[in-house]
Each structure stands twice: as structure tokens, then as C-alpha cells.
Amino acid sequence: MKRTLTVILSLLITLPAFAAQEAEKKSAPVKEHLQNHFKLYGFIRNYFVFDSRESKAGTGDLFYYLPLDNKWNTSNVKNPAREDLNASPNFRFLALTSRVGFDVSGYYIGNLHFGAKIEGDFYSGLSKLSTNTGFSGNTNVSGTAQARLRQAYVTLTWKDLWFDYEEKANISLKIGQAWHPMAADMPHVFSLEAGAPFGPFSRTPQVTMDAALGNNWVVSAAAIWQMQYQSAGPDGSSANYIKYACTPEVYAAATYKGKDFLVRGGVDVLSIKPRNIGQNSAGLTVHVKDRKTSILGYLYGQYTHKMLQIKAKTTFGEGGEHMNLMSGYAVVDKSDPTNWKYASLINSSSWVSACYGKKWQGVLFLGYVKNFGLAKPTAEGYVKKSDLYFCSNGFSNINQLYRINPQGLYNLGKFTLGVEYQWTAVQYGKYVSGELKETNEKVDLLNGIGLPWKDSLHWVGNHRVNVMVKFTF
């Protein structure tokens, strides 16, 4: 009897261990599959920000663009009570830019490899504190952040294709929401705006092809749509302008990669319909033929040597307001009510950044923007302010702006502490009776050569101190 009880007790003790071993064996393939194909990543990030004056900024005022123009409480310059109401220091700190994402890889059929990415953060949801006149600047500081989609795309890559007898080719397709190809090369900055508005900034729906031809050359092409970052127009920022144009934005570029350096050049073409419906000469509402096409080119370079890396990018051309560039376009001819003519603003935006170090890092960012006026002359010799459509995060009377931005970072494993100082200065002009005059066969909106408001050009600057605390996982 005792022997029987001993056997039963032994079984009762060992059965759970056997069951656990079997369960572990069954779960092992699932665990191995997850480890081989799925990678979770993200970070918790807090910004602590001080500004010396009211500024144009988004995402809880963390995404910085530029300081606002003077807002005088009286036009009498000799009045001792004269005060710039936008010269208001302000401070905030928020964690709403924390992020989480999944990378998927390791699936293939023959030499066709599949991958995917989905990524989100906590961006929208902030609402206005109040509408009273007790605050002169931005008041979007109340509320709780909500989840938003940043990136969601799939990739198909054909690997090890024949190119020549010594080198292979890889061709990949990216389909979904991802960084705009012109915005993918970013400077060494930890601030949320990542160098904007001195370089393109946009994530957008796209189909992008990258063909790596051997070890040095990559040829790229993309068809791009609009979602969060949109073109300007009569109805404000909207994706309707590209929707009714029925033509995607087109991008093409070539990249050369050397041992320590990389050079990339590309061009972007966007054709939109600022109006779809209007009135003809008889006053009848009809579909119109309006269309505005712009071409924007860029050049990017990168050099790396040990712990030193230098990057630089410049864009030049028409428009680009849908990528947060300080540009836009205007109506220049309304003689045909069913086919208005448009002209883009010519804009040059450039930045250079340098980074040195690993545990302790020093960074310097320099940016410059210049507006050159409209690409075409106007039919009437002037442009009404209401017919000028500019980037919603800027102002059409900007002549030029620059930024000087030194930074220091301390990296301790997955923990990063960063401190930066930004000096951003803008040269503003003024309108004359709400109109922009034409000179020298093109509309010089901002330089004011020979115009009554030439002497109104003036500089406004902002000091920003930003501290970042970040833990990456």
C-alpha cells in the first residue's frame, strides 16, 4: 500500500514538470518565429522647451518653425508705452512624441523577400485653452494626446539579381505610408522638427522603387499622394487639390555611394488643381480647367570618418509647401474664368550639420531659406494677398530666415540626455494696401526693389532652449 502511494505521489509531482516541458516545446516554435521575424522598437521622450517670444510651432509647440513678426500695440514709434505683444517668453514640457513601432522581416519565396513596418506616436488631441485676449500667441496647450499613424508600409525586395559578372542588383518596392523620399535624409538634430523648415519634412502615401545597381549606384522613382502634409490653396491646406488633379506626385533620384561618402540628387514634380468648379463668363457654375505644376530639385551629400559625420542638403525650385518648405504659389491671370493661370514661388532651402562623438556627442546645425518671388509675371501687374497660397506653417511676407543650432548629447546605454540652443531669425516685409506689386518683369514679392515698402524689411529672432530626456527600447 505504501509503495502504491509512493508511486502515485511521484507521478503527481513529475506530471506538472512533464507538462511544462511539453508546453515549452510547443511554444518554442512560436517564440522563435516572433524573434526571427518581428522586432518591437520605440522610445519614451520628453521635451522641456523655453522660447523668448511667440512663434509658429506645432505639436504642442514642440515642432518649431519660426518666430512671429512684431505685433505692436501702437503704430506711434515715439509712444513710451509702445510694446511688441509677441515678445512673450513661454515654457512647456510634454511627452506626447513618444513612439512605438514594429518591423517585420525574414519572409521570402526564392529571392523575393517580404517586409513591413507599422509605427505610431501620440500627436493629436491638443485643443485651444481659450479664445480670450489674455494670451497673444499660440494657445494649443490643453487636452490629452491621441494615437496617430506615422508609417505603415510593406516592402518587396528581389535580391541577388544579375547585373554584371562581378556585381549583383537588388530591386525593392515600398508601398504604403512612409517618409517622403525628399525628406528621408535628415540632419543631426534631436528636436522634433528635424531641420524643418530648412529641408523637406513629410510622411505620405507612396509607391517607391529603389534599384541598387551593384555596389555604388542606386536609382529611385516614386509615385506619391498626400495625407497629413498637403498643398495650399483657396480652401486652405487640403488633399483635394491632388485628388481632383488625378495625377500623383512624381519623384526620381540617383545615389552614388563611396567608402566614406554618399551623394544623392533628385527632382520632384507636383501637378494639382487649385479649383475644380467655378463660374464661366455667363455666370454659370461649371467644371474648370485650372492646373498648377511645379518642379523642385535637391542635392544631398554625406561624409563619415570615424566618429565624425557631416551632412548637407539644398533644395531649389518651385513650391514645396506640402513638404513644410516656406513657399507656395499665386493666381497670376484670371482673364479666362474657367482656366486661371498660376505661378509658384521660387524657394531655396539649405542646411548643413556636423556630429562628433559617441557617448558624448557634439552637434552643430546651420540652416538658411531664401524666397525669390514668383516664377512668372502677372497679367495685371500685382497679386492680391487673397490670391497667394502659402505654407500654412509660414507667412508669405518672409524674405529670408536662418538658424544656428549647437547641441550636446550624453548617451548612457539606452538613455539619452540632450541640450540644445536655437537662434532662429526671420526677415519680414510688409504688404502695400494688401497687394504685392510687380517689378522687373516678375513679381518680386519680398525684396521690395523700387517699392514703397523696401525700407519695411526687418529682422525678428527667437532664442529657444530645449532639453530632451529619452529612453529607447
Side-chain angles (χ1 to χ4, degrees):
M1 184 68 180
K2 291 181 178 179
R3 185 175 297 174
T4 303
L5 289 173
T6 303
V7 172
I8 292 172
L9 288 173
S10 299
L11 288 172
L12 290 174
I13 292 171
T14 55
L15 277 174
F18 283 124
Q21 289 178 4
E22 290 299 318
E24 186 176 349
K25 289 179 181 179
K26 290 181 180 179
S27 65
V30 176
K31 183 178 180 181
E32 184 179 346
H33 180 85
L34 292 173
Q35 291 176 341
N36 291 342
H37 299 290
F38 295 87
K39 179 184 178 182
L40 173 68
Y41 68 92
F43 51 75
I44 309 299
R45 180 171 61 183
N46 275 269
Y47 286 115
F48 302 77
V49 183
F50 169 82
D51 287 310
S52 63
R53 70 178 288 114
E54 300 288 358
S55 299
K56 188 69 175 179
T59 317
D61 291 350
L62 300 180
F63 195 111
Y64 191 81
Y65 291 101
L66 44 85
L68 298 181
D69 199 358
N70 298 321
K71 184 179 180 181
W72 301 109
N73 58 352
T74 176
S75 59
N76 186 354
V77 295
K78 295 182 179 180
N79 190 326
R82 190 176 191 234
E83 185 180 4
D84 180 5
L85 299 180
N86 280 334
S88 300
N90 52 85
F91 176 80
R92 87 286 298 151
F93 67 88
L94 297 166
L96 58 82
T97 64
S98 299
R99 187 177 306 165
V100 66
F102 270 104
D103 281 329
V104 184
S105 62
Y107 294 97
Y108 60 92
I109 300 174
N111 67 342
L112 175 57
H113 292 245
F114 301 88
K117 177 191 284 288
I118 185 165
E119 179 183 270
D121 64 0
F122 306 93
Y123 162 79
S124 61
L126 300 181
S127 59
K128 288 187 177 180
L129 178 67
S130 67
T131 57
N132 64 50
T133 57
F135 300 95
S136 60
N138 296 331
T139 56
N140 298 324
V141 294
S142 178
T144 183
Q146 300 173 358
R148 111 182 131 153
L149 178 71
R150 280 174 58 87
Q151 300 190 80
Y153 61 80
V154 298
T155 59
L156 292 82
T157 304
W158 289 264
K159 293 188 175 182
D160 298 325
L161 303 177
W162 186 90
F163 180 61
D164 62 22
Y165 292 104
E166 296 181 355
E167 297 179 318
K168 299 290 185 180
N170 298 323
I171 299 177
S172 66
L173 284 178
K174 180 188 295 180
I175 305 170
Q177 167 86 359
W179 283 103
H180 192 294
M182 286 191 72
D185 300 310
M186 294 186 177
H188 305 93
V189 292
F190 66 76
S191 53
L192 188 61
E193 67 273 6
F198 301 93
F201 187 101
S202 172
R203 290 179 302 273
T204 191
Q206 61 189 270
V207 178
T208 299
M209 182 277 296
D210 293 309
L213 307 177
N215 299 323
N216 301 111
W217 287 97
V218 179
V219 177
S220 304
I224 304 167
W225 211 246
Q226 293 183 8
M227 191 176 74
Q228 179 184 356
Y229 303 95
Q230 304 161 342
S231 295
D235 294 328
S237 296
S238 174
N240 281 334
Y241 311 126
I242 192 172
K243 172 182 176 181
Y244 289 98
C246 298
T247 53
E249 183 179 352
V250 177
Y251 165 90
T255 303
Y256 181 81
K257 298 185 294 183
K259 180 182 178 181
D260 299 323
F261 68 94
L262 179 150
V263 178
R264 178 179 295 118
V267 63
D268 186 86
V269 180
L270 175 65
S271 186
I272 60 174
K273 283 182 68 68
R275 295 189 309 156
N276 187 47
I277 293 176
Q279 290 187 334
N280 62 17
S281 56
L284 184 65
T285 301
V286 297
H287 286 100
V288 298
K289 301 177 182 178
D290 294 28
R291 183 172 288 271
K292 194 275 296 185
T293 301
S294 59
I295 302 176
L296 183 66
Y298 83 102
L299 185 64
Y300 170 78
Q302 175 180 307
Y303 172 77
T304 303
H305 180 69
K306 296 182 179 180
M307 290 192 295
L308 172 67
Q309 188 176 66
I310 301 173
K311 298 180 180 180
K313 178 188 282 188
T314 183
T315 64
F316 181 82
E318 304 172 352
E321 76 281 357
H322 64 297
M323 292 184 281
N324 277 306
L325 296 178
M326 294 292 103
S327 192
Y329 63 97
V331 184
V332 295
D333 188 349
K334 294 184 178 181
S335 58
D336 183 348
T338 64
N339 190 11
W340 289 359
K341 303 299 182 182
Y342 301 85
S344 295
L345 283 163
I346 302 297
N347 171 275
S348 173
S349 301
S350 304
W351 58 257
V352 59
S353 71
C355 176
Y356 183 83
K358 188 174 182 181
K359 185 175 182 179
W360 292 92
Q361 287 183 313
V363 176
L364 178 63
F365 172 89
L366 304 173
Y368 179 73
V369 169
K370 172 66 176 177
N371 281 329
F372 293 99
L374 290 177
K376 299 178 182 178
T378 66
E380 298 179 350
Y382 65 90
V383 175
K384 292 182 179 179
K385 187 177 179 181
S386 59
D387 288 336
L388 178 61
Y389 312 121
F390 202 79
C391 174
S392 60
N393 295 309
F395 306 96
S396 57
N397 60 325
I398 293 173
N399 180 30
Q400 56 186 330
L401 65 149
Y402 70 88
R403 177 174 297 165
I404 301 172
N405 180 198
Q407 305 155 57
L409 295 98
Y410 174 67
N411 299 295
L412 182 62
K414 295 181 178 296
F415 177 81
T416 301
L417 175 66
V419 180
E420 72 170 355
Y421 165 75
Q422 279 189 16
W423 166 252
T424 304
V426 185
Q427 188 181 45
Y428 287 102
K430 291 183 180 180
Y431 296 102
V432 179
S433 301
E435 296 178 353
L436 307 169
K437 301 294 184 178
E438 186 182 71
T439 179
N440 297 332
E441 299 304 320
K442 77 169 186 177
V443 178
D444 194 334
L445 299 178
L446 307 164
N447 290 334
I449 299 173
L451 299 182
W453 55 277
K454 177 181 179 180
D455 296 333
S456 72
L457 289 173
H458 58 282
W459 288 93
V460 176
N462 175 65
H463 302 275
R464 165 169 277 216
V465 178
N466 187 14
V467 177
M468 180 194 69
V469 177
K470 179 181 178 183
F471 181 81
T472 304
F473 58 85

